[in-house]
């Protein structure tokens, strides 16, 4: 696997690297047994971010009973354990197997937009298996698949995760280089994927909207980039069909031709509405351990 650029890490990470690489070579049927054990450890042993998970679920689904919230939390931990194993498996999965496990029912949506000869922004989220979006996308699109990422601070995990994400040929673009990347490829039909549901910091420009019964902030980057470069935008829905199998469906949010206001947020609003539908359809498959609503809107 390709190493992360300019990244070195201490020698004492070598045993961990060997262990994780060896695990990745095991069949998924075996790794899911490991996931079952990991699920029990996170739920009953570590109680991993249990308070955050329960608070997020209660606020997002106020009509559900406490028993239903507790069951959703358990289902989330099971999904999260399986997700970690599936991400690790990227280090040992074949292109043929990945293509068999991630089904794209409507690639024509993307091909039509790519034919315009412009970059296409693909907006994903922390639902389903988001790490398989860019890797599976590279299987379907070849060298036309790029992904925005935020480098990790730990040099070993930065290198290891970088290799997992690029092993099918995808190119990773550090978040700080997104604008430069689009300028360089503004006349090329290629896809730039980004996860657009993170919680922006107070220093970032934010768009606030009602989302899962809560006042929620979103990054405004997609709106600004689409307006500046007149590039089409699609929403990427990756939903779990069954254990280890996903459907990656595309929804056009912007055609790249209709004029957009510089300070508008129609793309971000459309993204939020599509994501809300996906979460309500499969609530356990979202990343509830993330402190998504840690910031509140400032008083005017």
């Amino acid at each position: 696997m390709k190493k992360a650029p300019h990244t070195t890490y201490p020698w004492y990470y070598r045993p961990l690297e060997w262990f994780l690489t060896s695990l990745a070579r095991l069949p998924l049927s075996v790794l899911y047994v490991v996931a079952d054990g990991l699920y029990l450890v996170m739920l009953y042993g570590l109680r991993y971010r249990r308070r955050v998970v329960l608070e997020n679920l209660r606020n997002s689904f106020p009509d559900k009973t406490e028993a239903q919230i507790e069951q959703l939390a358990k289902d989330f931990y099971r999904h999260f354990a399986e997700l970690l194993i599936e991400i690790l498996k990227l280090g040992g999965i074949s292109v043929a197997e990945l293509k068999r496990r991630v089904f794209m029912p409507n690639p024509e949506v993307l091909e039509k937009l790519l034919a315009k000869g412009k970059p296409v922004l693909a907006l994903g989220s922390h639902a389903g298996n988001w790490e398989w979006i860019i890797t599976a996308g590279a299987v379907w699109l070849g060298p036309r698949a790029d992904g925005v990422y935020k480098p990790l601070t730990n040099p070993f995990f930065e290198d290891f995760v970088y290799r997992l994400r690029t092993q099918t040929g995808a190119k990773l673009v550090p978040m700080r280089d997104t604008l430069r990347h689009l300028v360089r490829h503004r006349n090329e039909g290629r896809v730039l994927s980004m996860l657009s549901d993170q919680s922006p910091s107070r220093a970032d420009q934010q768009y606030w909207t009602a989302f899962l019964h809560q006042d929620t902030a979103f990054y405004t980057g997609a709106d600004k980039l689409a307006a500046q470069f007149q590039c089409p935008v699609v929403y990427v829905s990756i939903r779990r069909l069954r254990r280890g199998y996903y459907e990656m469906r595309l929804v056009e949010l912007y055609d790249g031709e209709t004029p957009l206001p510089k300070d508008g947020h129609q793309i971000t609003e459309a993204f939020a509405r599509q994501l809300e539908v996906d979460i309500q359809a499969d609530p356990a498959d979202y990343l509830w351990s993330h402190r998504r609503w840690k910031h509140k809107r400032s008083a005017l």
Side-chain angles (χ1 to χ4, degrees):
M1 293 186 292
K2 184 180 178 181
K3 293 183 72 63
H6 313 300
T7 301
T8 58
Y9 51 87
W11 63 268
Y12 49 77
Y13 280 107
R14 295 297 181 186
L16 178 59
E17 179 183 25
W18 175 86
F19 174 71
L20 295 177
T21 302
S22 299
L23 272 182
R25 296 194 183 106
L26 296 174
L28 268 171
S29 58
V30 175
L31 288 175
Y32 283 132
V33 176
V34 177
D36 290 339
L38 183 59
Y39 155 71
L40 294 174
V41 170
M42 287 195 296
L43 179 61
Y44 297 110
L46 298 176
R47 296 172 66 84
Y48 175 70
R49 293 195 174 185
R50 177 174 169 79
R51 183 178 300 177
V52 173
V53 170
L54 290 176
E55 180 181 1
N56 285 341
L57 287 171
R58 289 182 186 122
N59 292 338
S60 299
F61 303 100
D63 295 334
K64 292 189 179 297
T65 66
E66 190 61 23
Q68 291 173 320
I69 294 296
E70 288 284 350
Q71 185 59 53
L72 268 181
K74 289 181 179 180
D75 293 342
F76 158 71
Y77 281 113
R78 184 174 295 281
H79 166 70
F80 189 51
E82 293 177 1
L83 172 69
L84 294 177
I85 288 300
E86 289 169 0
I87 293 172
L88 177 63
K89 182 59 183 174
L90 285 174
I93 199 169
S94 68
V95 168
E97 184 177 6
L98 187 60
K99 193 170 184 178
R100 180 170 60 87
R101 289 179 174 276
V102 182
F103 172 60
M104 186 187 293
N106 59 340
E108 67 278 1
V109 172
L110 198 54
E111 292 296 342
K112 177 191 70 173
L113 298 175
L114 287 169
K116 298 176 184 287
K118 301 177 182 179
V120 176
L121 299 181
L123 308 185
S125 70
H126 290 87
N129 186 331
W130 58 89
E131 290 292 350
W132 280 17
I133 290 179
I134 182 62
T135 49
V139 170
W140 289 93
L141 297 168
R144 297 179 295 171
D146 306 319
V148 176
Y149 83 112
K150 185 176 182 179
L152 303 175
T153 54
N154 181 287
F156 167 73
F157 286 105
E158 162 63 6
D159 179 77
F160 189 77
V161 173
Y162 185 96
R163 286 185 283 160
L164 293 181
R165 289 169 170 168
T166 59
Q167 62 98 15
T168 58
K171 178 182 177 182
L172 294 186
V173 180
M175 189 181 297
R176 64 180 179 275
D177 295 337
T178 302
L179 185 60
R180 186 181 300 114
H181 176 85
L182 285 174
V183 170
R184 185 182 303 122
H185 300 287
R186 67 187 309 160
N187 296 316
E188 299 177 32
R190 55 192 306 123
V191 177
L192 181 64
S193 67
M194 56 183 72
L195 298 180
S196 300
D197 63 325
Q198 295 108 320
S199 178
S201 69
R202 297 186 186 279
D204 295 310
Q205 291 189 338
Q206 305 170 348
Y207 169 67
W208 289 86
T209 187
F211 177 73
L212 294 174
H213 301 280
Q214 298 165 82
D215 197 23
T216 307
F218 285 85
Y219 280 107
T220 61
D223 289 294
K224 295 183 181 302
L225 293 173
Q228 181 174 351
F229 293 96
Q230 288 289 287
C231 52
V233 183
V234 297
Y235 169 77
V236 183
S237 169
I238 181 161
R239 297 180 61 183
R240 181 164 53 118
L241 302 176
R242 62 186 189 276
R243 203 178 212 189
Y245 289 87
Y246 294 86
E247 177 187 84
M248 188 162 64
R249 184 176 293 274
L250 307 171
V251 179
E252 181 181 315
L253 300 184
Y254 173 57
D255 61 7
E257 297 175 0
T258 308
L260 287 173
K262 283 189 176 182
D263 297 323
H265 302 103
Q266 69 182 61
I267 292 173
T268 300
E269 178 65 27
F271 167 81
R273 301 285 70 83
Q274 292 287 341
L275 176 57
E276 192 170 50
V277 170
D278 277 356
I279 293 174
Q280 290 170 341
D282 299 294
D285 291 357
Y286 191 60
L287 187 62
W288 298 110
S289 57
H290 176 53
R291 294 184 62 203
R292 179 64 182 86
W293 291 275
K294 61 185 176 181
H295 298 308
K296 304 300 179 183
R297 193 195 301 236
S298 300
L300 298 178

